[in-house]
């Protein structure tokens, strides 16, 4: 027995240490090893590894002589802030982190355990892709991962962290996850690499230009969070986990109430200009509403004309969606609608109440948007809100025009509580645009068209756009003093906390994807 124990100890230490030359090479690339990353991510001493002795069974193309333990992925479970998560981290020091049959089966195992135990799943990707030497078994392994991603969707939170290459079919798992993190300079994700692009199209393109962190953080919307280094990236993963429930059957982790229901915020009227055309940063408004001014913004670099963030109000986690007047005057376009729709659906899937901050002049006009399918993409946001059964509070800060007002969680599509500032302007369109349409003939024939237009604009505003027009018709529940916004939102969420709404029986709807 002592000899066996000694042999076992040596083997385990050798596996945990890895091959020195490969570890050094990983460090020389500015990257940590899989185990070092898990040490940063998880609570100290909490990691329980599974399948540490797993080896592949392939015998073709010289694979029989190369059978390292773990097969290029470290998998298991640990805790973050004392809460259970399941994790896998691909190990680039073993076969370049490539995925073969045994590698995939380890990932399948932790994915199944995450669902069965109702705990978040975190995957750290750093892989050269499918293991060519194992042929179709590698492809079958990816298929098993994708199927489990879909089965786990809306059941447990799924987070992908890209800390190296993620190429080919492997990129679909992060695309199916709820949130994807990427680190600049080391992360790259694409279906076909630069060599294939060059061979097929003749185009010369680098790895970062094709699928780097900023490409997916600013242009494609695949990456929800982009960081400069692995430490800050994994720290934000920990922060995100602190805001999420373990599964769709339990509430998000709450903190003790902090007096938000009576909190007065005198800065709010100073932040938002009364003039509808003047910009301001909606994030500063959100910071006045959430606890301690803290929130985690998702997709910060993509579709910046809408803000999507997680934070807390009186200790309870909420999801916030807000138009951003600093970018494109806060209009909705195809990308903004997609971004907000997916965020709304995530919050609804995991029982996170929604707070919608509205200051929207409409949908972005033009042939580019129409041809890009803004009707279909805008319908995604409409569908997401209409389907949501979580508590929903709308705050109309300033203007809310046309169809964009409707889709930003208006009462007409099922919003539970609509609050408005005295600066609210809810109408089909702005007063001047409306007057130009309604009175175009009179204006064309007038001796003083500018003077007549000013009179008609004032008349239209007084009759149809005064602050209480929507409230008088039950479409706004209360017109509030801006300084009371945080308190009003907190009271509204408390009122709706036990909301129950059962959707009609059906297999699933047909969202306009």
């Amino acid at each position: 027995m002592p000899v066996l124990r000694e042999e076992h100890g040596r083997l385990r230490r050798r596996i945990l240490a890895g091959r020195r030359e490969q570890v050094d090479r990983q460090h020389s690339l500015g990257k940590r090893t899989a185990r070092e990353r898990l040490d940063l991510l998880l609570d100290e001493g909490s990691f329980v590894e599974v399948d540490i002795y797993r080896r592949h069974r392939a015998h073709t193309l010289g694979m029989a002589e190369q059978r390292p333990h773990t097969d290029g992925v470290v998998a298991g479970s640990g805790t973050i802030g004392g809460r259970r998560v399941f994790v896998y981290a691909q190990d680039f020091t073993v076969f370049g982190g490539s995925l073969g049959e045994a590698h995939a089966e380890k990932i399948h195992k932790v994915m199944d355990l995450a669902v069965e135990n109702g705990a978040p799943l975190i995957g750290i990707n750093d892989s050269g892709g499918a293991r060519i030497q194992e042929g179709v078994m590698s492809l079958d392994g990816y298929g098993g991962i994708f199927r489990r991603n879909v089965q786990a969707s809306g059941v447990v939170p799924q987070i992908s962290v890209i800390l190296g290459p993620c190429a080919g079919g492997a990129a679909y798992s992060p695309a199916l996850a709820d949130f994807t993190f990427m680190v600049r300079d080391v992360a790259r994700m694409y279906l076909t690499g630069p060599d294939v692009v060059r061979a097929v199209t003749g185009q010369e393109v680098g790895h970062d230009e094709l699928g780097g962190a900023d490409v997916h953080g600013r242009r494609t919307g695949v990456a929800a969070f982009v960081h400069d280094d692995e430490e800050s990236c994994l720290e934000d993963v920990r922060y995100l986990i602190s805001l999420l429930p373990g599964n769709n059957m339990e509430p998000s982790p709450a903190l003790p109430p902090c007096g938000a229901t009576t909190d007065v915020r005198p800065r709010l009227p100073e932040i938002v200009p009364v003039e509808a055309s003047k910009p301001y940063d909606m994030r500063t408004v959100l910071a006045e509403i959430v606890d301690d001014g803290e929130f985690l913004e998702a997709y910060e670099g993509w579709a910046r004309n809408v803000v999507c963030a997680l934070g807390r109000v009186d200790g309870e986690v909420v999801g916030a969606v807000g138009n951003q007047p600093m970018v494109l005057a806060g209009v909705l376009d195809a990308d903004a609608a997609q971004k907000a729709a997916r965020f709304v659906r995530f919050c609804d899937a995991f029982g996170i109440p929604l707070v919608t901050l509205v200051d929207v002049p409409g949908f972005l006009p033009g042939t580019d948007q129409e041809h890009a399918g803004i009707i279909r993409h805008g319908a995604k946001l409409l569908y997401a809100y209409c389907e949501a059964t979580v508590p929903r509070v709308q705050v109309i800060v300033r203007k809310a025009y046309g169809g964009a007002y409707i889709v930003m969680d208006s009462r007409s599509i099922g919003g539970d509580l609509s609050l408005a500032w005295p600066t609210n302007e809810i109408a089909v369109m702005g007063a001047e645009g409306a007057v130009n349409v309604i009175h175009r003939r009179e204006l064309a024939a007038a001796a003083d068209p500018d003077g007549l237009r000013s009179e008609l604009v004032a008349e239209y505003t007084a009759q149809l756009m005064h602050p209480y027009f929507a409230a008088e018709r039950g479409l706004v529940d209360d017109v509030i003093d801006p300084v009371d916004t945080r308190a009003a939102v907190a009271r509204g969420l408390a009122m709706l906390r036990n909301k129950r709404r059962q959707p009609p029986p059906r297999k699933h709807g047909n969202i306009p994807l």
Side-chain angles (χ1 to χ4, degrees):
M1 180 63 73
V3 175
L4 291 176
R5 290 178 63 190
E6 185 177 341
E7 289 178 353
H8 170 261
R10 282 199 301 268
L11 174 60
R12 193 174 186 88
R13 287 191 296 273
R14 187 167 68 248
I15 295 171
L16 294 176
R19 294 171 58 191
R20 186 73 259 166
E21 65 275 16
Q22 293 298 330
V23 170
D24 290 343
R25 185 173 185 276
Q26 184 83 341
H27 290 164
S28 72
L29 296 173
K31 297 160 61 179
R32 286 176 167 77
T33 66
R35 296 184 186 281
E36 290 169 341
R37 289 163 174 167
L38 291 176
D39 286 342
L40 280 177
L41 176 66
L42 302 173
D43 295 340
E44 186 176 357
S46 69
F47 183 54
V48 178
E49 188 168 354
V50 299
D51 283 358
I52 188 173
Y53 302 110
R54 193 67 183 268
R55 304 163 83 182
H56 70 75
R57 298 186 291 264
H59 296 285
T60 57
L61 302 176
M63 291 294 288
E65 289 75 41
Q66 303 179 67
R67 300 184 65 228
H69 294 91
T70 74
D71 203 48
V73 62
V74 181
S77 177
T79 60
I80 293 178
R83 300 173 62 231
R84 177 65 52 194
V85 298
F86 286 82
V87 296
Y88 67 86
Q90 292 180 313
D91 185 354
F92 201 81
T93 70
V94 178
F95 292 138
S98 61
L99 184 138
E101 180 186 19
H103 183 124
E105 287 176 350
K106 291 179 66 173
I107 295 176
H108 297 168
K109 179 179 288 188
V110 293
M111 295 181 80
D112 292 340
L113 288 171
V115 172
E116 291 165 1
N117 287 274
L121 172 72
I122 304 170
I124 299 178
N125 296 264
D126 186 3
S127 168
R131 192 173 299 164
I132 298 171
Q133 297 93 325
E134 295 196 36
V136 71
M137 297 310 297
S138 295
L139 304 181
D140 179 71
Y142 276 125
I145 293 172
F146 305 154
R147 177 166 57 88
R148 287 169 173 81
N149 283 136
V150 173
Q151 291 173 336
S153 183
V155 179
V156 297
Q158 299 181 76
I159 298 169
S160 281
V161 187
I162 315 300
L163 299 181
C166 181
Y172 283 118
S173 184
L176 291 168
D178 295 308
F179 296 104
T180 295
F181 290 73
M182 295 185 74
V183 171
R184 292 183 178 93
D185 299 328
V186 298
R188 54 192 60 160
M189 182 164 47
Y190 36 63
L191 291 179
T192 54
D195 293 340
V196 177
V197 171
R198 185 185 309 110
V200 174
T201 70
Q203 181 183 5
E204 294 287 344
V205 62
H207 291 284
D208 284 338
E209 183 185 358
L210 182 62
D214 285 324
V215 168
H216 291 301
R218 297 174 182 173
R219 300 185 63 178
T220 71
V222 174
F225 303 97
V226 174
H227 291 269
D228 290 326
D229 54 70
E230 295 187 9
E231 296 94 332
S232 62
C233 175
L234 295 173
E235 184 59 36
D236 259 7
V237 175
R238 289 178 59 89
Y239 182 32
L240 176 59
I241 288 292
S242 75
L243 295 169
L244 302 182
N247 58 71
N248 64 329
M249 301 300 289
E250 67 179 40
S252 297
L255 298 177
C258 53
T261 56
T262 58
D263 203 351
V264 175
R265 293 300 172 109
R267 283 195 65 237
L268 277 171
E270 301 169 3
I271 292 170
V272 181
V274 175
E275 298 86 350
S277 60
K278 287 191 175 181
Y280 63 94
D281 191 343
M282 185 61 84
R283 292 174 298 186
T284 61
V285 174
L286 178 59
E288 292 292 316
I289 295 173
V290 297
D291 298 348
D292 302 318
E294 293 182 0
F295 58 86
L296 181 62
E297 184 178 356
Y299 307 100
E300 183 179 357
W302 178 56
R304 296 186 301 116
N305 41 324
V306 70
V307 175
C308 298
L310 291 165
R312 283 189 168 87
V313 174
D314 216 21
E316 301 286 343
V317 176
V318 301
V321 178
N323 307 112
Q324 175 56 289
M326 291 286 289
V327 181
L328 296 175
V331 297
L332 289 174
D333 60 5
D335 284 348
Q338 292 182 77
K339 170 179 170 177
R342 190 146 198 266
F343 183 77
V344 167
R345 284 173 67 83
F346 171 80
C347 291
D348 186 54
F350 290 100
I352 299 173
L354 288 160
V355 176
T356 304
L357 306 175
V358 184
D359 189 349
V360 61
F363 283 94
L364 183 63
T367 55
D368 288 346
Q369 284 295 304
E370 296 293 345
H371 295 172
I374 193 170
I375 295 173
R376 177 168 51 87
H377 296 307
K380 294 176 184 177
L381 181 54
L382 180 64
Y383 193 108
Y385 270 123
C386 287
E387 190 180 47
T389 61
V390 294
R392 292 152 56 184
V393 176
Q394 177 197 52
V395 181
I396 302 171
V397 175
R398 221 168 40 172
K399 56 191 175 295
Y401 296 157
Y405 154 69
I406 298 173
V407 306
M408 288 297 292
D409 205 21
S410 64
R411 288 297 304 273
S412 59
I413 64 169
D416 297 304
L417 182 65
S418 179
L419 308 171
W421 288 13
T423 48
N424 80 81
E425 296 179 359
I426 307 172
V428 174
M429 61 178 68
E432 187 162 342
V435 164
N436 288 337
V437 172
I438 298 170
H439 301 287
R440 62 183 181 277
R441 291 179 180 173
E442 295 96 315
L443 290 168
D448 181 13
D450 291 338
L452 178 59
R453 182 179 290 105
S454 296
E455 293 177 13
L456 294 171
V457 165
E459 179 185 357
Y460 180 91
T461 301
Q463 292 185 14
L464 295 175
M465 293 180 64
H466 63 79
Y468 303 97
F469 185 85
E472 290 170 359
R473 287 153 180 80
L475 299 178
V476 165
D477 294 289
D478 195 6
V479 178
I480 61 173
D481 188 322
V483 302
D484 296 324
T485 304
R486 171 168 157 81
V489 169
R491 289 194 297 266
L493 291 171
M495 177 182 74
L496 298 167
R497 187 162 297 146
N498 295 319
K499 173 185 174 183
R500 297 289 184 270
R501 181 182 296 170
Q502 291 298 323
R506 60 181 175 181
K507 185 175 182 180
H508 58 70
N510 188 19
I511 187 171
L513 297 172

